Amino acid sequence: MRSDPKDYELVAPGSLQAAVGLLARSPGEWLPIAGGTDVMVQYAAGKLPSRKLVSIWNLAELRSIEVLANEIRLGAGCTYTNIREHGVIGREFPMLSSAARWTGGIANQNRGTLGGNIVNASPAADSLPALLAYDAELILISVRGERRLPYAGFHAGYKKTKLAPDELIRAVCLPRRFSGYVCHARKVGSRNAQAISKVCMAALGRVAGQTVEDVHIAVGSVAPVPLRLSETELMLRGKVINESLVSAAKKMAVAEIRPIDDIRSTAKYRAAVTGNLVAEFLNLLSADGKA
Amino acid sequence: MSSSGEDRSKSEISFTVNGEQKTVLAFPMERLLDVLRLQLGLTGAKEGCGEGECGSCSLLMDGTLVNSCLVPALQAQGASIVTIEGLDASAGSQRLQEAFLECGGAQCGICTPGMILAASHLLNKNPRPTLEEIKEGLSGNLCRCTGYLQIFEAIATAAGRETAASS
Amino acid sequence: MNHERIVGTAVPRKEGREKVTGKAVYVDDMVLPGMLYGATVRSQIPRGRIKKITFETSVAWSEFVIVSAKDIPGKNCIALIGDDQPCLASDSINHPEEPVLLLAHPDRHALRKAVDAVSIEYNPLPAIFTMEESERGSEIVWGTDNVFKTYLIQKGNVDDVWSRADYIIEGEYSTGAQEQLYIENNGMVAAYDAKQGITVWGSLQCPYYVHKALMALCDLPAEKVRVVQMETGGAFGGKEDYPSMIAGHAALLAMKSGKPVKIVYDRAEDMAATTKRHPSRTRHRTALSRDGKILGGEIEFTIDGGAYATLSSVVLSRGAIHAGGPYYWPSVRIRAKAVATNAPPHGAFRGFGGPQSIFAMERHMDRIAQVVGLSPVEIRRRNFLQPGQTTTTEQVVRELIDLGKLLDRAISVSEYQTKKQEFAIENGTGATKKGIGIAAFLHGAGFTGSGERYLSSVVGVEGCADGGVRILVSSTEFGQGTKTVLCQIAAEALGLRYEDVTIAQPDTTEVPNSGPTVASRTVMVVGKLVESAARGIHQTLKLSGMLGDSYSAEEFRAACQAYVAGHGQLRSWAQYDPPPDVFWDDEKYRGEAYAAYSWAVYIAEVSVDLTTYSVSVNDFVALQEVGRVLHPVLAIGQIVGGVAQGIGFALFEKVIWQQGRMQNNQMTNYIMPTSSDLPPIRVFFEELGNVHGAFGAKGIGELPMDGPAPAIVNAIEDALGVRFDSIPLMPEDIYDAITARSLRGEDEVASVIR
Ligand SMILES: Cc1cc2nc3c(=O)[nH]c(=O)nc-3n(C[C@H](O)[C@H](O)[C@H](O)COP(=O)(O)OP(=O)(O)OC[C@H]3O[C@@H](n4cnc5c(N)ncnc54)[C@H](O)[C@@H]3O)c2cc1C
Ligand code: FES
Ligand code: FES
């Protein structure tokens, strides 16, 4: 433990209102802590810059999962375990369930939250490509009220988000319009469990015969922020899947990402694997069209 | 830097541990792991990494498995905590401990308390796990000694069945 | 000995109940009244001289105990084989984790800030980080030539064979550093008082190594140094030499402050500062006949010892002796060398040089098979050592080992041939390629050469006042089952129940020096001594007329009670007595290198996913001859655990270095296998027995570390048709090799000279 607990304050407001009220009084001064699986790691390493923390763990308002007619509204404080155990998410958003299952071990899934994963904004975060692929939207809350914005674009740069200093994420909304889509998600880590992704992908699409009608491809760990491969998607829409399209898509995907060398992997490996995953997805999509 | 006057920012934090009500005076950001080990003398939870990776500090908080090195003390306020020391009580856990002994599930023993708590959490949720489910249930608890197979066997034995994990 | 009731059965682990109930006490669980916490200020540069140390004024230094090299009462070194490693650097710095100052304070959080508030200025010197730089000698960082130790093993006249050879095959192989990653970090508690001297309690393998180091460092006589082993949460060699360093540090702080001091490393410090497996490079040049028989060869084995000599000479010796594998070499020249670099010293890790040189040998064997045009099975079969033949050190194989039979059985249980055929068909299409690979190897049990003679271990067995029997040894339990197996041996020897025998916690005031707990020697060597000391107890009772030749456990108990009541004490000692016919020449490195060998054939089946270039091990067969298996559950546990570490060594565990410093010193970034990363590991034993070991046992602990890496890499080559000669082998390396091959357009032609 490389920090001194007595240098830190931690308060636990009893309600969401009280929590945002506290943030509003001195914006930027209080760091929210939910499951603590990112914050406490930084703290233990002596690398947590904020000295004042506000616990939002256990705020009931952040823990609900509402199934509405056209969307699912997931409280930002839902844990990976909550996500994994939810039937509708499992059926309609299987890539989010898988991401939850791939995140750390069971203890980590019992504490880590979706809101924490989003705001921690690691490029390697596992649930974020799924959120991008499913066109998720965020509901943010502050004393000024709530606002809703698309999740795509929320990350302004490496570990930077569009969250205002007095805001919390209240919920993540997933539109219920992907039934009948082919989904393919994969996490490529250094081992089968408890691994930080070297590349992760969540992709979905629909074909009529062999023609691509709709396609969403999102990747993580290959750029400063999780990415939708929009140019690749654009290029694919309306085209017939064949070998040359697959290889063109691989090339374009690689051109869209900005992978780096770090202690976990190399840029060229990440690029190659991204291309391969895109190809693997298109082959599945094509197989579905033939079935 | 001075160490005087430090009690000013400590809080009273109450929770139950192994069925007993406890109130401690602690800094709210103290790790639950340290509160249990240093203040309450419950040294069954171990610190292997301090970053949520190894699971040797695992315990049950309100019935779910958590890594106590990543839980600030204040978040345990009002919680019900079970550590290895308190697991003895139930028949199911005793079966688990016996099975660990019998099958060679504990070698150096440092991962064992966390491992047994993870196993107990798994069996509570899923009394008849498959080998794959056992592997997944333990994937956050690292063991450097056993290569895990005898641990799988112990859990399968405790769950009352044979498994292909045995060699 | 045909009525054995206890050895060979799965009795409960002696200290098992404490472990499964969380009651076992490890060093970090220990608190003494008034105890301070200690921390280490380390160098930040790989090489240089200390110019100036500044204490920032933000810290109330008067509250701290501060120890520097000047406070050392004795010699500033960690006494081991040589005395070259300082306990605290006073002037020159030779690696980036070198201890410079020690601090102690009642509040452990205050310590961290204080460590950060010490700044050290240096006059930096150029440093070297690779074996090649060290060999070039552009900078001399140790001694006169950067060489800690060399060995030359020569058998026959290898210079003659080249002209007769049908094939000459060369290869170079390398292995990386590997962190032991015991789950319990290193730690020590020390207490001092002028009358009793220094006592340390800690996580350690070798109480008498620590004892010797503290005597020299603290300038105290033997009776004023007490070392107690606490329950130890894994070691694997990683708690063989470094505990002497931490014990020294805790002792110095305790002596200066007059208070007990605890030093427990956190994971980051443990990984960065303590020892790891030596990185290695092995070059083979082998002469073969047309029918694939080894005629002779040259082997050059080099290891990176880091900044100080520590245990490198012994690791080197074991690596060199194992370098020829389980094969018959009519002639061979093995040159072995340990060199210095500016990294923290490398040390013991399960296998102790063996896994390094055996990786090379077994990869080279597959390469030879390809060139000669034989299968990996056949090339091994043709060259296996046979009873009556001699090893590379000219030790006659007296054991009746039949390696061909081991190989046959491993091939049959792994369905090797069927799988070979299946994979050949399946691999044509699809993004997953499968392969299967073999490694055959041996591992010597006990200390090398005259090692056991020098150690001259002593063990005691005591009859207690309550009629029970207690074993007194300094051999430590750190998961392998030392306590259990030694109690089984004593119970068996005395015809008692397992429950009647207990074993003392290693404490140098109570137990004699039965040698270090290393080198797979405990069951074979110490076990044999326990057996004879136990028999001594019976002898005494018999001579005193209190017990006959046959007796019940109750009669024994009564006799023992009566004897202790009458005489005050009942103890029996046994000391190692080298067998008279054992010959070893330390100069020429020739003779009986080990009293016994364990033998094994391992087979790994892998698949490589060409989408991600990652390898899964799908099946693993571990077949070995280890003499008598004294405890089946513990024995399987040793093998499975060792194979798991071997899989890590091959595929996961990569230390990333920068300027001699480990960059990924966190469990998140240094990857060991989880429960989801291991195949079924199927363990099989052959039991030939062994005249040297207790009840026929040989060594078992290190063996399983040797085989997995070469078997796996052989399997990967089988799957992909691409050669890999370096581990750890990461997906990134596989990707690089596959792209490089497709760029070249053709497979590399093997470097066959003629
Ligand atoms: C052992 C281990 C393994 C892990 N494995 C993975 C993995 O495989 N994949 C992966 O993606 N991640 C992994 N993580 C990282 C981590 O678990 C996730 O990022 C998790 O989702 C974080 O959630 P949390 O609630 O614990 O966040 P916290 O640590 O509590 O907070 C993280 C950040 O989010 C902010 N925050 C949290 N909630 C909100 C909110 N509602 N509104 C605004 N800000 C908020 C906090 O202020 C903080 O900046 C792992 C972590 C550990 C320790
Ligand atoms: S110490 Fe908590 S997970 Fe390792
Ligand atoms: S038994 Fe030693 S780490 Fe699991």
Side-chain angles (χ1 to χ4, degrees):
Chain A
M1 243 284 283
R2 299 193 170 187
S3 289
D4 188 344
K6 75 165 145 328
D7 298 340
Y8 294 81
E9 250 182 87
L10 171 64
V11 296
S15 68
L16 183 57
Q17 259 348 44
V20 292
L22 183 74
L23 294 184
R25 277 198 291 286
S26 44
E29 208 177 313
W30 293 88
L31 179 76
I33 172 171
T37 59
D38 283 312
V39 169
M40 291 299 284
V41 173
Q42 270 185 287
Y43 168 69
K47 291 179 181 155
L48 187 66
S50 318
R51 292 295 170 105
K52 293 175 148 191
L53 294 103
V54 48
S55 176
I56 56 170
W57 176 250
N58 264 345
L59 289 182
E61 299 97 319
L62 296 180
R63 294 295 278 270
S64 64
I65 300 182
E66 289 171 82
V67 182
L68 308 177
N70 57 347
E71 68 180 17
I72 286 203
R73 216 171 269 186
L74 266 159
C78 286
T79 63
Y80 294 107
T81 303
N82 299 149
I83 292 171
R84 283 185 66 174
E85 288 175 351
H86 199 273
V88 181
I89 299 177
R91 278 194 303 280
E92 296 183 26
F93 304 96
M95 298 194 296
L96 186 60
S97 291
S98 307
R101 181 154 52 82
W102 293 330
T103 302
I106 301 296
N108 195 65
Q109 292 169 15
N110 285 338
R111 290 274 296 167
T113 65
L114 189 57
N117 205 225
I118 297 171
V119 177
N120 185 59
S122 158
D126 284 306
S127 51
L128 306 186
L131 298 186
L132 282 176
Y134 288 128
D135 285 338
E137 296 191 340
L138 303 181
I139 298 177
L140 308 184
I141 182 168
S142 69
V143 287
R144 296 169 286 129
E146 289 188 1
R147 60 177 176 135
R148 182 164 170 144
L149 74 173
Y151 169 61
F154 180 71
H155 298 289
Y158 179 71
K159 294 230 163 193
K160 283 206 196 89
T161 71
K162 290 191 175 154
L163 195 73
D166 65 344
E167 273 178 325
L168 288 175
I169 299 187
R170 165 154 202 171
V172 178
C173 308
L174 299 169
R176 301 178 69 181
R177 56 176 157 82
F178 296 106
S179 66
Y181 275 68
V182 172
C183 294
H184 184 52
R186 250 185 111 166
K187 165 169 179 160
V188 181
S190 47
R191 61 185 166 199
N192 291 331
Q194 289 255 101
I196 297 178
S197 288
K198 295 175 180 180
V199 180
C200 54
M201 181 190 80
L204 50 84
R206 206 178 55 210
V207 282
Q210 287 298 294
T211 308
V212 179
E213 289 190 342
D214 191 13
V215 65
H216 296 188
I217 306 173
V219 286
S221 223
V222 291
V225 296
L227 280 188
R228 270 286 282 272
L229 298 179
S230 4
E231 286 169 42
T232 311
E233 291 176 7
L234 196 67
M235 187 272 281
L236 286 168
R237 275 191 199 105
K239 301 259 170 58
V240 173
I241 307 180
N242 55 30
E243 230 174 272
S244 74
L245 186 76
V246 171
S247 87
K250 265 176 97 160
K251 281 214 188 77
M252 190 161 248
V254 171
E256 277 192 79
I257 59 177
R258 274 175 293 145
I260 56 164
D261 285 339
D262 62 13
I263 57 171
R264 300 194 186 107
S265 191
T266 61
K268 56 188 175 178
Y269 171 84
R270 288 181 156 119
V273 170
T274 305
N276 292 348
L277 292 181
V278 167
E280 189 177 71
F281 163 64
L282 291 175
N283 290 332
L284 282 174
L285 201 55
S286 154
D288 184 68
K290 286 174 188 155
Chain B
M1 178 183 57
S2 151
S3 43
S4 61
E6 60 180 38
D7 286 1
R8 217 180 27 212
S9 50
K10 284 190 177 174
S11 311
E12 273 193 5
I13 301 172
S14 303
F15 41 77
T16 63
V17 184
N18 302 329
E20 271 180 61
Q21 184 69 36
K22 298 274 178 194
T23 299
V24 297
L25 197 60
F27 294 109
M29 274 298 278
E30 245 168 272
R31 305 180 302 177
L32 181 57
L33 174 66
D34 295 328
V35 172
L36 293 172
R37 288 178 55 84
L38 297 170
Q39 291 203 39
L40 300 176
L42 294 169
T43 54
K46 310 295 181 190
E47 174 166 356
C49 68
E51 56 174 13
E53 197 75 23
C54 73
S56 58
C57 66
S58 304
L59 43 79
L60 301 175
M61 188 161 112
D62 294 329
T64 68
L65 189 74
V66 303
N67 287 331
S68 61
C69 69
L70 299 186
V71 178
L74 187 69
Q75 287 190 340
Q77 179 81 270
S80 159
I81 290 162
V82 177
T83 67
I84 189 74
E85 289 90 346
L87 203 64
D88 279 3
S90 76
S93 347
Q94 271 172 24
R95 260 205 304 283
L96 203 48
Q97 285 164 328
E98 291 307 318
F100 264 70
L101 269 180
E102 208 179 290
C103 301
Q107 287 191 19
C108 81
I110 197 80
C111 71
T112 310
M115 205 57 95
I116 289 182
L117 284 157
S120 148
H121 179 254
L122 170 71
L123 294 182
N124 283 342
K125 285 194 141 184
N126 179 0
R128 299 233 157 236
T130 62
L131 179 58
E132 280 315 305
E133 288 165 342
I134 294 175
K135 287 185 177 184
E136 191 187 356
L138 302 182
S139 64
N141 291 76
L142 299 180
C143 175
R144 189 58 155 171
C145 296
T146 63
Y148 306 102
L149 299 194
Q150 291 179 327
I151 296 177
F152 301 160
E153 218 177 295
I155 295 172
T157 304
R161 26 173 168 136
E162 299 294 87
T163 168
S166 67
S167 31
Chain C
M1 236 175 272
N2 31 16
H3 301 298
E4 290 160 13
R5 312 145 301 126
I6 295 175
V7 303
T9 66
V11 296
R13 179 181 274 279
K14 270 288 161 189
E15 76 298 352
R17 190 155 303 278
E18 285 71 31
K19 285 176 173 173
V20 301
T21 53
K23 295 194 181 86
V25 182
Y26 299 80
V27 64
D28 199 22
D29 303 337
M30 187 176 164
V31 178
L32 293 178
M35 188 176 82
L36 307 179
Y37 292 91
T40 315
V41 179
R42 297 179 186 276
S43 56
Q44 302 290 322
I45 62 158
R47 186 159 174 250
R49 312 201 92 131
I50 298 173
K51 203 159 72 179
K52 191 172 158 212
I53 301 182
T54 320
F55 295 83
E56 285 169 22
T57 53
S58 57
V59 169
W61 291 107
S62 60
E63 294 175 4
F64 287 81
V65 184
I66 304 174
V67 162
S68 72
K70 289 196 209 82
D71 296 299
I72 295 173
K75 197 168 167 204
N76 183 6
C77 73
I78 302 301
L80 187 63
I81 297 170
D83 290 351
D84 65 324
Q85 178 171 225
C87 176
L88 290 170
S90 55
D91 171 29
S92 50
I93 296 295
N94 290 303
H95 69 79
E97 304 292 345
E98 188 129 40
V100 178
L101 291 178
L102 304 168
L103 307 176
H105 193 275
D107 176 1
R108 62 201 185 110
H109 303 302
L111 269 175
R112 191 67 230 167
K113 294 178 201 166
V115 168
D116 293 341
V118 177
S119 52
I120 307 176
E121 279 172 62
Y122 305 93
N123 286 318
L125 288 167
I128 55 179
F129 304 109
T130 64
M131 288 183 265
E132 289 69 28
E133 281 177 292
S134 183
E135 288 171 309
R136 273 200 300 277
S138 50
E139 281 297 320
I140 300 300
V141 302
W142 195 90
T144 55
D145 55 1
N146 292 338
V147 177
F148 291 127
K149 185 79 186 175
T150 59
Y151 295 106
L152 177 63
I153 298 175
Q154 294 215 70
K155 177 184 180 187
N157 186 354
V158 73
D159 300 322
D160 271 1
V161 302
W162 310 114
S163 58
R164 290 190 278 125
D166 294 305
Y167 303 95
I168 297 172
I169 299 162
E170 295 184 348
E172 179 174 317
Y173 309 89
S174 64
T175 63
Q178 185 187 17
E179 164 60 33
Q180 293 88 356
L181 212 72
Y182 30 71
I183 305 295
E184 179 207 28
N185 290 313
N186 267 289
M188 288 281 166
V189 173
Y192 176 75
D193 84 63
K195 260 228 284 314
Q196 296 190 347
I198 194 88
T199 303
V200 297
W201 296 262
S203 181
L204 54 93
Q205 276 175 257
C206 309
Y208 278 95
Y209 280 8
V210 177
H211 191 260
K212 169 179 164 179
L214 288 179
M215 282 168 60
L217 180 75
C218 304
D219 193 24
L220 288 170
E223 66 278 9
K224 285 204 166 182
V225 175
R226 176 180 173 210
V227 180
V228 185
Q229 185 221 4
M230 300 296 288
E231 203 67 72
T232 294
F236 317 114
K239 293 172 184 172
E240 181 169 343
D241 69 329
Y242 211 85
S244 299
M245 175 74 88
I246 309 172
H249 291 169
L252 292 173
L253 285 167
M255 287 175 95
K256 184 150 182 188
S257 65
K259 293 188 176 149
V261 175
K262 179 193 271 188
I263 300 181
V264 174
Y265 287 174
D266 68 6
R267 181 59 60 182
E269 183 170 21
D270 193 295
M271 288 180 94
T274 73
T275 62
K276 293 168 195 58
R277 182 186 299 288
H278 289 72
S280 79
R281 183 194 66 211
T282 309
R283 295 189 175 126
H284 273 271
R285 182 162 191 258
T286 315
L288 284 112
S289 67
R290 189 156 305 283
D291 61 351
K293 286 216 159 181
I294 296 174
L295 301 172
E298 285 192 283
I299 307 173
E300 208 186 285
F301 178 60
T302 309
I303 60 175
D304 173 353
Y308 296 107
T310 64
L311 294 165
S312 288
S313 59
V314 226
V315 171
L316 184 71
S317 146
R318 190 172 275 270
I321 293 171
H322 287 73
Y327 304 110
Y328 177 61
W329 296 80
S331 67
V332 72
R333 181 182 296 128
I334 302 171
R335 289 179 197 277
K337 181 162 68 172
V339 300
T341 60
N342 295 111
H346 295 297
F349 189 166
R350 198 177 203 163
F352 216 67
Q356 289 96 316
S357 64
I358 288 170
F359 172 74
M361 183 70 247
E362 284 305 281
R363 280 297 295 138
H364 194 58
M365 237 26 212
D366 266 31
R367 180 153 165 64
I368 289 173
Q370 275 178 12
V371 175
V372 175
L374 287 172
S375 72
V377 175
E378 197 48 38
I379 194 74
R380 287 178 169 83
R381 195 190 299 286
R382 290 191 189 179
N383 289 289
F384 275 147
L385 267 171
Q386 310 288 341
Q389 288 183 329
T390 56
T391 66
T392 53
T393 62
E394 294 180 54
Q395 172 170 8
V396 179
V397 178
R398 296 217 181 83
E399 301 179 47
L400 295 174
I401 183 71
D402 184 346
L403 285 164
K405 223 177 91 198
L406 280 194
L407 182 64
D408 289 338
R409 185 169 170 209
I411 282 180
S412 138
V413 292
S414 64
E415 298 174 61
Y416 178 89
Q417 303 295 6
T418 326
K419 283 183 176 161
K420 265 284 213 207
Q421 286 165 11
E422 276 173 21
F423 298 165
I425 299 165
E426 286 171 30
N427 283 352
T429 53
T432 300
K433 307 286 180 205
K434 290 186 177 168
I436 188 161
I438 303 177
F441 52 102
L442 77 179
H443 200 96
F447 260 41
T448 306
S450 345
E452 292 294 346
R453 194 188 303 254
Y454 293 138
L455 277 176
S456 205
S457 301
V458 178
V459 314
V461 171
E462 182 180 30
C464 303
D466 67 356
V469 165
R470 202 162 80 117
I471 300 170
L472 305 170
V473 291
S474 65
S475 307
T476 49
E477 168 69 55
F478 38 88
Q480 353 73 301
T482 302
K483 287 184 170 173
T484 307
V485 176
L486 293 182
C487 288
Q488 280 180 289
I489 290 170
E492 188 71 60
L494 286 171
L496 299 179
R497 290 167 307 205
Y498 173 67
E499 304 77 60
D500 296 330
V501 182
T502 56
I503 184 164
Q505 190 66 22
D507 173 338
T508 54
T509 56
E510 270 214 73
V511 302
N513 188 351
S514 55
T517 309
V518 303
S520 310
R521 64 184 291 276
T522 302
V523 170
M524 189 178 84
V525 179
V526 180
K528 188 80 182 174
L529 295 175
V530 166
E531 183 188 341
S532 83
R535 293 194 201 284
I537 296 274
H538 174 234
Q539 206 56 28
T540 309
L541 292 174
K542 194 173 139 186
L543 287 176
S544 70
M546 289 171 168
L547 203 64
D549 271 328
S550 66
Y551 48 86
S552 68
E554 288 68 30
E555 285 164 346
F556 180 92
R557 184 169 282 274
C560 190
Q561 280 172 346
Y563 189 98
V564 177
H567 297 76
Q569 205 178 47
L570 171 55
R571 283 184 167 185
S572 157
W573 306 99
Q575 182 157 26
Y576 180 76
D577 190 12
D581 54 341
V582 166
F583 155 77
W584 175 258
D585 182 339
D586 247 337
E587 287 291 296
K588 296 211 170 83
Y589 245 59
R590 189 186 294 163
E592 313 260 320
Y594 299 99
Y597 292 86
S598 296
W599 311 85
V601 177
Y602 283 9
I603 298 188
E605 183 194 322
V606 305
S607 54
V608 187
D609 176 348
L610 290 185
T611 305
T612 62
Y613 314 99
S614 49
V615 177
S616 320
V617 183
N618 301 330
D619 187 30
F620 200 96
V621 166
L623 168 65
Q624 47 260 305
E625 194 287 310
V626 294
R628 181 74 196 282
V629 173
L630 300 190
H631 190 301
V633 171
L634 293 183
I636 292 172
Q638 283 301 293
I639 302 298
V640 173
V643 169
Q645 291 177 352
I647 291 174
F649 184 42
L651 296 176
F652 295 97
E653 302 182 28
K654 181 169 185 170
V655 175
I656 298 174
W657 296 103
Q658 198 176 18
Q659 298 277 304
R661 172 166 255 178
M662 183 180 189
Q663 294 303 294
N664 52 333
N665 57 334
Q666 284 176 290
M667 280 191 168
T668 315
N669 290 324
Y670 180 85
I671 304 299
M672 67 163 267
T674 70
S675 57
S676 300
D677 294 297
L678 297 172
I681 297 167
R682 300 191 280 143
V683 180
F684 302 90
F685 292 109
E686 299 267 330
E687 298 178 71
L688 279 182
N690 165 29
V691 291
H692 299 285
F695 298 99
K698 295 195 276 201
I700 193 171
E702 296 177 292
L703 178 81
M705 189 74 219
D706 294 337
I712 288 167
V713 179
N714 287 342
I716 295 172
E717 175 169 9
D718 184 47
L720 298 176
V722 181
R723 220 173 77 210
F724 297 96
D725 292 331
S726 194
I727 50 169
L729 179 59
M730 311 305 270
E732 287 77 4
D733 303 318
I734 294 180
Y735 166 71
D736 286 346
I738 288 177
T739 25
R741 182 181 61 171
S742 57
L743 284 180
R744 270 200 315 274
E746 217 191 303
D747 281 5
E748 189 187 339
V749 192
S751 64
V752 183
I753 295 178
R754 55 202 191 102

